[in-house]
Amino acid sequence: MSSQISLRVNGVALTRSVEPTQLLVDFLRQDLALTGTHVGCDTGQCGACTVHLDGHAIKSCNMLAVQAAGHEVTTIEGIASKDGSLHPMQLAFKQCHGLQCGFCTPGMVMSSIDLVTHHKADTETKIRDSLDGNFCRCTGYHNIVKAVVAGGQAMKA
Ligand code: FES
Ligand code: FES
């Protein structure tokens, strides 16, 4: 039996009917067409599905849509400025060549923003440790770490 949930997604208040077993990632991708949030494993390991729930990074394949009721969800589509300019962390990934195929990138960016905002990860080792829940099959992580450093500095400027 479906139930109605009300929540905010990327600053917009929504009320939708969802099945009790529907994952948050499927709700975002299928019901709201926010396909920037990716599915890489569905088992909570890869981090491709990372979004923010009330400003903190969570893996949206690990959460039911009904559990997001009453909360604020932010996806990669919601972090750029209204004029379309990239978030400082997005810009840093672009400028530092922190992506290749881009599949992991939305989750990496969302985790990195959380990392800079809520955790002190100011060395390469700490950044690598903190991002160990986000897998990248392409880059070897070196430029991702550089991007997180640069993005963090830009966010604090
Ligand atoms: S799809 Fe959610 S962690 Fe991989
Ligand atoms: S850029 Fe391809 S998986 Fe990370």
Side-chain angles (χ1 to χ4, degrees):
M1 189 174 66
S2 62
S3 48
Q4 281 221 322
I5 59 168
S6 294
L7 71 169
R8 291 179 71 82
V9 179
N10 296 335
V12 177
L14 301 170
T15 298
R16 290 286 193 283
S17 190
V18 297
E19 295 298 319
T21 56
Q22 186 175 24
L23 296 173
L24 178 58
V25 66
D26 293 331
F27 173 70
L28 295 171
R29 287 178 55 83
Q30 294 164 14
D31 294 21
L32 304 184
L34 295 171
T35 53
T37 301
H38 293 161
V39 179
C41 67
D42 240 350
T43 54
Q45 296 175 68
C46 77
C49 64
T50 303
V51 300
H52 291 176
L53 186 81
D54 299 331
H56 293 269
I58 57 114
K59 291 179 176 176
S60 58
C61 76
N62 261 353
M63 184 170 182
L64 298 170
V66 290
Q67 293 176 297
H71 293 278
E72 171 89 39
V73 177
T74 306
T75 70
I76 192 72
E77 290 90 345
I79 62 168
S81 299
K82 286 197 174 24
D83 66 4
S85 49
L86 295 177
H87 184 283
M89 190 61 76
Q90 288 177 299
L91 198 57
F93 269 71
K94 181 180 175 188
Q95 291 175 335
C96 297
H97 306 290
L99 64 144
Q100 289 183 25
C101 79
F103 187 83
C104 71
T105 311
M108 282 286 184
V109 168
M110 300 308 281
S111 290
S112 298
I113 293 171
D114 175 78
L115 180 57
V116 167
T117 306
H118 300 294
H119 306 281
K120 190 169 164 57
D122 49 4
T123 66
E124 178 174 332
T125 303
K126 284 187 199 168
I127 291 170
R128 285 181 183 272
D129 285 349
S130 300
L131 288 179
D132 70 353
N134 289 77
F135 297 170
C136 177
R137 294 166 195 262
C138 304
T139 64
Y141 298 94
H142 184 68
N143 285 352
I144 288 176
V145 174
K146 280 171 42 182
V148 176
V149 172
Q153 289 169 349
M155 284 171 64
K156 288 174 183 158

